[in-house]
Amino acid sequence: MNSYNLWAIIAIGLASNLDNAGVGIAYGVRKIRIPWYSNLAISIISLLATLTSGLFGTWISSYIDPWIGQFIGTVVIIGVGIWVLLQPITEKKKSQKDGDSDTNAFTRLLRNPEEADKDSSKSISLTESILLGTALAMNALAGGFNAGITQLDIWYTSLSVGIFSFLLLLLCAGFGEKYAAEKFGNTATVISGLLLIVIGINQMF
């Protein structure tokens, strides 16, 4: 594996999970615990989402020329990066206009992660972690597809996504509890979007 591929795999793992940082801080601020087994379940969901979309991307890449795969992967990951960047703006406008009732359930969950604690137990159960993990795995789908269609190693990419998922949620929950950095959620979203765009631009050259 060359240094560029390693950088791309690490970058995809990080970009796919920056929402985890915002969610972890939100839980830390609200003193909501994420037991290790719930965190592990969330990371496994992200890993499997990456692997599934990566295998799909690899399958497509076997039928097209490499440069076309590179182009498609670039367009997809830049497009997702732009979409991620626009989410705080579009969701704010939508909630002001229509209220939260019409907002996508996963998007609303990422904006108000405490809603995952359905029983108000101040702890995310294994069942609750599945809902949260599915919401957090959305960016991982794009990262996995990009890895597959551009012929990055999808196994290492999936592992990278799973590891960053676990670590960011764990570390940022502790950070949020200690420093109460409530405003980091939107910042993490912006950084995630920018990082995805940078990955796409780098793949063009």
Side-chain angles (χ1 to χ4, degrees):
M1 184 188 302
N2 61 42
S3 58
Y4 171 76
N5 285 351
L6 180 60
W7 176 89
I9 287 169
I10 293 172
I12 288 173
L14 183 60
S16 298
N17 287 298
L18 281 173
D19 278 340
N20 292 43
V23 168
I25 287 174
Y27 282 162
V29 168
R30 292 164 178 80
K31 311 296 183 184
I32 298 175
R33 288 183 58 253
I34 309 171
W36 69 267
Y37 50 84
S38 296
N39 193 2
L40 182 62
I42 291 168
S43 66
I44 289 173
I45 291 170
S46 291
L47 186 154
L48 291 176
T50 307
L51 184 60
T52 301
S53 59
L55 289 171
F56 179 64
T58 301
W59 176 73
I60 291 177
S61 72
S62 65
Y63 292 98
I64 58 178
D65 289 333
W67 73 268
I68 296 177
Q70 198 79 16
F71 177 76
I72 293 174
T74 297
V75 169
V76 167
I77 205 153
I78 289 179
V80 171
I82 293 171
W83 178 79
V84 169
L85 280 177
L86 293 176
Q87 280 306 292
I89 299 170
T90 57
E91 289 302 324
K92 184 177 180 181
K93 287 181 178 178
K94 187 170 182 179
S95 63
Q96 288 174 343
K97 182 179 179 181
D98 303 323
D100 282 345
S101 58
D102 294 329
T103 305
N104 178 277
F106 287 150
T107 304
R108 189 172 67 249
L109 183 60
L110 292 180
R111 194 170 68 233
N112 303 296
E114 65 276 8
E115 290 185 10
D117 186 19
K118 299 292 186 183
D119 56 5
S120 301
S121 63
K122 292 293 183 178
S123 180
I124 300 300
S125 69
L126 199 54
T127 303
E128 291 166 343
S129 72
I130 294 173
L131 176 62
L132 181 59
T134 303
L136 289 170
M138 294 297 105
N139 285 356
L141 290 172
F145 179 79
N146 177 270
I149 204 165
T150 58
Q151 299 181 349
L152 286 174
D153 189 304
I154 58 170
W155 298 98
Y156 282 123
T157 303
S158 300
L159 186 61
S160 173
V161 169
I163 290 171
F164 274 110
S165 172
F166 188 91
L167 290 178
L168 284 174
L169 205 51
L170 175 68
L171 296 175
C172 290
F175 179 81
E177 184 174 2
K178 187 172 183 179
Y179 297 106
E182 294 183 81
K183 301 299 182 183
F184 188 73
N186 281 345
T187 303
T189 299
V190 170
I191 294 172
S192 175
L194 289 173
L195 191 51
L196 289 169
I197 292 170
V198 168
I199 293 169
I201 291 171
N202 268 275
Q203 287 179 347
M204 295 173 65
F205 303 101

